Amino acid sequence: MAFILACGSLGGCNTATPSVTGSIPGRKPALAVNDAERDCLGRAMYFESKRSDPEGLLAVGTVVMNRLESAAFPGGICEVVGQPRQFAAGVLTKPMNEPKSLETVADVADKVLAGERHPKVGQAMYFHTAGHRFPYNNMHYVAVAGGNAFYEKRKAGSTAALAYAAAPVAAPVAAPVRQAEQLRLGPARDICTLAALAQADGAG
């Protein structure tokens, strides 16, 4: 019972909270992190990825930190996570009701704040639920993890990622596809839905 009460947020979960963020060379310098910002990072990971999948949590955390270190996105971690129509609705206010998952989320959040990043996500700042397809031609997919497909925005024919915020445009509903197929397909517009684990390439 005490664990549940302590872990209504990430503040009571685990103890190795880094005092500063890691920093990618050539980008924003390391920043001091307080408990509220740690909680905001954990909330994005909790509501946007499969909560029992550390790789998926790390991938979402990497996107948050990439946005934090980009001039295109606002302020600190909580401002990045709370930006309208980018992460799950209510991400900063909804209760986190799975205490067993919170311990994993807190552990991965601490690793992200200490500088660990998902190696395949790289500098990507966008993702959507895996298994959806979209008609845009400026997205380059780099990874699938935790039920999400991660991508960079690029100009057509370019290998360089674009650093700008997603326009708040509703994404169309689309039929699911296999993971191997979705990496070759067009992109999503923004981050609006909770993760749903896609079927493995060999399934079905």
Side-chain angles (χ1 to χ4, degrees):
M1 183 65 171
F3 178 78
I4 294 175
L5 291 174
C7 286
S9 69
L10 295 189
C13 299
N14 304 339
T15 56
T17 308
S19 58
V20 297
T21 66
S23 183
I24 297 173
R27 302 174 80 178
K28 286 183 180 177
L31 300 172
V33 177
N34 58 35
D35 287 342
E37 290 172 312
R38 177 179 182 250
D39 190 62
C40 290
L41 173 62
R43 283 179 161 276
M45 295 161 62
Y46 180 93
F47 288 112
E48 292 286 6
S49 188
K50 192 172 188 290
R51 294 161 200 170
S52 61
D53 182 354
E55 182 191 7
L57 295 171
L58 179 62
V60 171
T62 298
V63 166
V64 173
M65 299 308 288
N66 286 348
R67 288 184 172 210
L68 178 67
E69 295 187 344
S70 167
F73 292 88
I77 293 174
C78 292
E79 287 81 6
V80 167
V81 173
Q83 189 177 27
R85 290 176 283 196
Q86 293 298 299
F87 290 89
V91 63
L92 295 181
T93 57
K94 291 191 298 187
M96 296 186 287
N97 296 323
E98 298 179 17
K100 290 183 180 179
S101 297
L102 286 177
E103 187 172 5
T104 300
V105 171
D107 181 59
V108 178
D110 286 343
K111 291 177 180 177
V112 169
L113 291 173
E116 186 171 338
R117 302 290 184 266
H118 192 287
K120 292 184 179 179
V121 170
Q123 296 184 17
M125 290 188 281
Y126 308 93
F127 64 92
H128 64 78
T129 303
H132 289 180
R133 67 175 73 189
F134 300 90
Y136 310 106
N137 63 2
N138 65 338
M139 311 298 188
H140 175 74
Y141 288 94
V142 295
V144 174
N148 293 314
F150 295 81
Y151 61 93
E152 297 175 352
K153 289 192 173 185
R154 297 181 180 179
K155 291 181 180 178
S158 173
T159 59
L162 298 174
Y164 61 87
V169 176
V173 176
V177 293
R178 292 168 59 183
Q179 287 185 15
E181 295 172 332
Q182 65 194 313
L183 292 174
R184 297 191 297 270
L185 294 172
R189 193 61 168 173
D190 55 15
I191 305 166
C192 292
T193 56
L194 296 176
L197 185 62
Q199 291 181 342
D201 291 343

